[in-house]
């Protein structure tokens, strides 16, 4: 089994801010839920059945074009730190790593494609791309799905579509989402209205780590709710349309802010950057707020801002498990807060030494 | 009448941090109160009498060795901004510039020596030096006093000494003070005990601008109370002894802090510096707190700190009247807060560009 921390040193992944609209859309994800017809759903299966599912799925994955060289990790063999690492990296869900039943994950190149095995469903394929790329993310997982279709028998009903453990996924089994940064709507207090508009048209709004997680750093995950009686294309189009609308509202709110309180906004942004460059002790909670402010500075085109790439990298890699993987040791919260501050200063200094802003 | 703002561009004055113990003692001041025998005290004199006093004293000042080329300003001719400027600069008291009666001020070279005319007493000579230099400051004003003694008839009683408008100054008419920075005693909450010890042995503890002003930025002005029945030497020795004791307590408290909370202290200090380097809007109140923290960083010998000279300069010149004199225009508070932030960033950037720390 290859080392998880090798993922840390990957040159490029969805955090590289290379995608379209990266200043407001951190990432796009599409996941498909599938189940093997021959086995009970994971919640009802015995461990030996789960083990059999895992072997079949992992074996099939190796035959999939996009995943043939991808490492496979058995969750029960991972330390608590490695499990938390996968969750922080948006690769595994909290459910997947929550206990030690036979579960696993296949991590494709650049982490753009992953496959969770025996999470809520037997198979959950996830495509994640930088920026706003719904169709591209969909194509990615769809290719895998097509390849797997010849290798595994998925539970499928002519009437309903794909059958899933939870009825909310029956049909396409698809959940598409964009992780958007909406600081202006939050600052102008319009966010609640905008988001409730999104839920009215059948979308779900969630926090930084998906279902059941908090909104942090003004990041919102907007995804489809409907999986039944609608084809994937239509679902994606509707999500795309509403997400674009929300980005338009964000831009309008930004213009209002800039015209009414430019200097106060800039003060907040530059102080946030100053704090990131200066702090000797910093919590991950604080980092999220600071990153949000600096990201906003990039959206506004302010001079002297770091690049989105380094910000995204800090966003993910300054989290507790990442820091411990980086340091190759367990650290208590107090020690982490010191290590984190030093790590962030180093990343920012290295970037500004390397020529400063990369978003111009 | 020469321009007040010319004072701004003076290369060296007591803010240059050249004196001994400059990291904890901002400045030493000694002032002597004198009154002309032939005139009533200022509070009881008519305006024409005050005018006569002013002419005599200003005339005599020109004959004093240390003041012969010193500019003389008539307070009633100064704008409100210029008056506030003098107070911010520690040259004039608030009382001196408080109304438009015939009052004046003579400002010696480098502002080390000034003479207020018709403040509470007819003459108040003030020597102010960088760092901890009680004897030197005393010698300065004493030389002026000796010179004036041949030119003016001071009210003097064989029994009591020099007669002054307020009985608390009768005798030597001398008030000697050191402006000390005691952040560790404040942080360890020992300051109250230490300062009440000082008042018990006959010293007074005041804020940044002397009598009746608040403590700001952890700066405390410690001065003698006794002027009657004690000669100047003894007064100075006693102040020196107690001030050294207090500096010793500060150092002990600093050691405690460093050994128990080094990283938290450093965090506070570097964040303060980061805020000064980053802010786009900043109040003078906030600046004092930030300067206090950065000064503490210099005392601790932390790397990357600016020099004391630039900090002292910011301390004084970022105040409201100074900024308006600098900008050559009236500014509302909101505009000042923006101008101040820019000014501080510029001073710090110029210094770090010029080779960084000058205290190493």
């Amino acid at each position: 089994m290859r080392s998880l921390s090798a993922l840390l040193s990957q040159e490029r992944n969805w955090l590289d801010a290379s995608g379209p609209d990266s200043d407001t859309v951190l990432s796009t994800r599409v996941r498909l839920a599938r189940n093997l017809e021959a086995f009970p759903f994971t919640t009802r299966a015995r461990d030996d059945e789960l083990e059999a599912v895992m072997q079949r799925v992992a074996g099939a994955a190796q035959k999939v074009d996009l995943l043939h060289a991808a490492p496979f990790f058995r969750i029960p063999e991972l330390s608590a730190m490695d499990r938390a690492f996968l969750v922080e990296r948006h690769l595994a869900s909290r459910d997947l790593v929550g206990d030690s039943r036979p579960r696993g994950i296949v991590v494709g190149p650049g982490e753009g494609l992953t496959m969770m095995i025996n999470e809520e469903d037997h198979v959950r394929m996830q495509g994640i791309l930088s920026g706003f790329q719904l169709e591209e993310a969909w194509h990615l997982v769809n290719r895998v799905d097509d390849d797997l279709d010849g290798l595994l028998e998925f539970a499928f009903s002519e009437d309903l579509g794909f059958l899933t453990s939870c009825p909310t996924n029956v049909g396409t089994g698809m959940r598409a989402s964009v992780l958007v940064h909406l600081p202006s709507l939050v600052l102008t207090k319009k966010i609640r209205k905008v988001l409730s508009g999104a839920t009215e048209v059948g979308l779900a709004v969630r926090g930084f780590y998906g279902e059941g997680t908090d909104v942090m750093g003004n990041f919102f995950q907007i995804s489809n709710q409907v999986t039944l009686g609608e084809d994937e294309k239509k679902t994606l189009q509707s999500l795309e349309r509403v997400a674009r609308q929300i980005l338009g509202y964000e831009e309008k709110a930004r213009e209002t802010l800039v015209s009414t309180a430019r200097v106060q906004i800039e003060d907040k942004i530059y102080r946030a950057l100053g704090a990131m460059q200066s702090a000797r002790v910093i919590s991950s909670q604080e980092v999220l707020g600071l990153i949000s402010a600096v990201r906003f500075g990039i959206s506004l085109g302010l001079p002297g801002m770091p690049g989105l790439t380094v910000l995204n990298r800090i966003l993910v890699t300054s989290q507790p498990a990442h820091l411990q993987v980086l340091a190759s040791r367990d650290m208590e919260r107090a020690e982490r807060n010191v290590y984190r501050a030093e790590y962030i200063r180093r990343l920012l200094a290295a970037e500004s030494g390397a020529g400063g802003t990369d978003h111009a």
Side-chain angles (χ1 to χ4, degrees), chain A residues 5 47 59 124 136 161 170 190 194 199 206 222 284 300 322:
Chain A
S5 50
D47 277 8
R124 287 204 163 184
E136 293 80 356
V170 168
K190 289 185 176 136
V194 167
T199 56
R206 291 168 174 145
I222 301 167
S284 45
L300 293 174
H322 269 77

Side-chain angles (χ1 to χ4, degrees), chain A residues 8-11 13 15-17 26 89 291 307-319 322 326 343 346-347 350:
Chain A
L8 270 174
S9 56
Q10 286 195 134
E11 276 303 297
N13 66 12
L15 289 169
D16 70 2
L26 186 71
R89 221 164 165 78
I291 284 183
L308 278 174
T309 313
V310 72
L311 275 192
N312 286 354
R313 199 166 156 205
I314 292 169
L315 184 71
V316 171
T317 62
S318 72
Q319 296 175 97
H322 269 77
L326 265 169
Y343 173 66
R346 206 170 56 226
L347 283 186

Side-chain angles (χ1 to χ4, degrees), chain A residues 261-332:
Chain A
R262 171 152 211 126
V263 71
Q264 285 73 21
I265 297 287
E266 290 189 1
D267 183 58
K268 192 177 148 72
I269 291 167
Y270 280 108
R271 281 176 186 248
L273 179 58
M276 289 178 79
Q277 290 167 331
S278 307
R280 261 58 185 172
V281 185
I282 199 163
S283 70
S284 45
Q285 196 62 32
E286 186 187 354
V287 170
L288 273 165
L290 298 178
I291 284 183
S292 175
V294 176
R295 234 177 190 279
F296 191 32
I298 295 173
S299 296
L300 293 174
L302 295 185
M305 291 293 118
L308 278 174
T309 313
V310 72
L311 275 192
N312 286 354
R313 199 166 156 205
I314 292 169
L315 184 71
V316 171
T317 62
S318 72
Q319 296 175 97
H322 269 77
L323 289 183
Q324 295 177 83
V325 169
L326 265 169
S328 311
R329 67 171 189 277
D330 285 327
M331 290 189 281
E332 293 295 319

Side-chain angles (χ1 to χ4, degrees), chain A residues 21 23-25 179-195 217-220 222 242-258 265 269 292-293 295-300:
Chain A
D21 300 303
D23 62 329
T24 43
V25 185
L179 187 56
V180 291
H181 186 233
L182 305 173
S184 307
L185 288 172
V186 172
L187 279 170
T188 55
K189 301 193 198 309
K190 289 185 176 136
I191 190 72
R192 189 190 289 264
K193 202 179 152 206
V194 167
L195 296 181
N218 301 320
F219 285 105
F220 299 85
I222 301 167
V242 178
R244 290 241 173 261
Q245 217 163 39
I246 292 175
L247 295 185
Y249 295 144
E250 167 68 16
E251 200 167 321
K252 253 188 210 147
R254 186 193 303 161
E255 282 162 17
T256 305
L257 277 174
V258 167
I265 297 287
I269 291 167
S292 175
R295 234 177 190 279
F296 191 32
I298 295 173
S299 296
L300 293 174

Side-chain angles (χ1 to χ4, degrees), chain A residues 334-351:
Chain A
E335 191 185 357
R336 283 202 306 266
N337 288 349
V338 173
Y339 191 91
R340 178 180 296 116
E342 208 236 309
Y343 173 66
I344 291 172
R345 291 204 311 282
R346 206 170 56 226
L347 283 186
L348 289 176
E351 198 222 16

Side-chain angles (χ1 to χ4, degrees), chain A residues 15-270:
Chain A
L15 289 169
D16 70 2
S18 61
D21 300 303
S22 278
D23 62 329
T24 43
V25 185
L26 186 71
S27 61
T28 302
R29 289 199 286 170
V30 176
R31 70 106 171 108
L32 299 178
R34 300 286 184 263
N35 290 275
L36 305 198
E37 203 175 40
F39 293 89
F41 289 133
T42 52
T43 44
R44 312 180 67 187
R46 295 185 314 268
D47 277 8
D48 63 304
E49 290 171 320
L50 291 182
E51 182 60 39
V53 168
M54 184 152 68
Q55 289 192 12
R56 287 201 197 187
V57 175
Q62 294 195 315
K63 292 174 192 141
V64 168
D65 191 27
L66 291 167
L67 292 173
H68 75 277
F72 163 59
F73 302 100
R74 286 172 177 273
I75 301 300
E77 294 175 6
L78 297 179
S79 66
M81 198 201 287
D82 282 346
R83 294 177 192 207
F85 175 88
L86 287 173
V87 173
E88 287 180 358
R89 221 164 165 78
H90 288 261
L91 296 176
S93 67
R94 289 178 187 177
D95 278 351
L96 185 80
V97 302
D99 60 39
S100 285
R101 301 196 72 194
R103 293 183 169 131
I105 185 167
V106 177
V107 181
E111 301 166 46
L113 198 58
T114 55
M115 191 185 285
M116 292 192 284
I117 304 171
N118 291 332
E119 204 239 26
E120 190 179 291
D121 295 293
H122 294 152
V123 185
R124 287 204 163 184
M125 298 162 252
Q126 173 182 278
I128 178 164
L129 291 174
S130 169
F132 200 172
Q133 306 196 61
L134 273 170
E135 200 155 337
E136 293 80 356
W138 156 250
H139 281 306
L140 214 53
V141 287
N142 195 40
R143 268 182 69 185
V144 178
D145 187 42
D146 286 350
D147 285 0
L148 285 179
D149 205 26
L151 303 162
L152 301 167
E153 290 285 315
F154 289 144
F156 185 82
S157 135
E158 286 300 330
D159 288 345
L160 299 169
F162 291 101
L163 300 178
T164 56
S165 173
C166 175
T168 57
N169 292 309
V170 168
T172 59
M174 181 182 81
R175 178 88 64 222
S177 67
V178 283
L179 187 56
V180 291
H181 186 233
L182 305 173
S184 307
L185 288 172
V186 172
L187 279 170
T188 55
K189 301 193 198 309
K190 289 185 176 136
I191 190 72
R192 189 190 289 264
K193 202 179 152 206
V194 167
L195 296 181
S196 76
T199 56
E200 272 168 32
V201 297
L203 299 181
V205 179
R206 291 168 174 145
F208 193 56
Y209 283 99
E211 203 167 341
T213 66
D214 289 339
V215 170
M216 301 188 294
N218 301 320
F219 285 105
F220 299 85
Q221 188 173 293
I222 301 167
S223 62
N224 66 300
Q225 290 268 42
V226 178
T227 54
L228 193 61
E230 194 177 272
D231 74 6
E232 292 88 347
K233 283 266 140 96
K234 210 187 144 216
T235 303
L236 291 170
Q237 277 165 4
S238 147
L239 174 59
E240 168 115 18
R241 200 186 63 245
V242 178
R244 290 241 173 261
Q245 217 163 39
I246 292 175
L247 295 185
Y249 295 144
E250 167 68 16
E251 200 167 321
K252 253 188 210 147
R254 186 193 303 161
E255 282 162 17
T256 305
L257 277 174
V258 167
S259 66
T260 58
R262 171 152 211 126
V263 71
Q264 285 73 21
I265 297 287
E266 290 189 1
D267 183 58
K268 192 177 148 72
I269 291 167
Y270 280 108

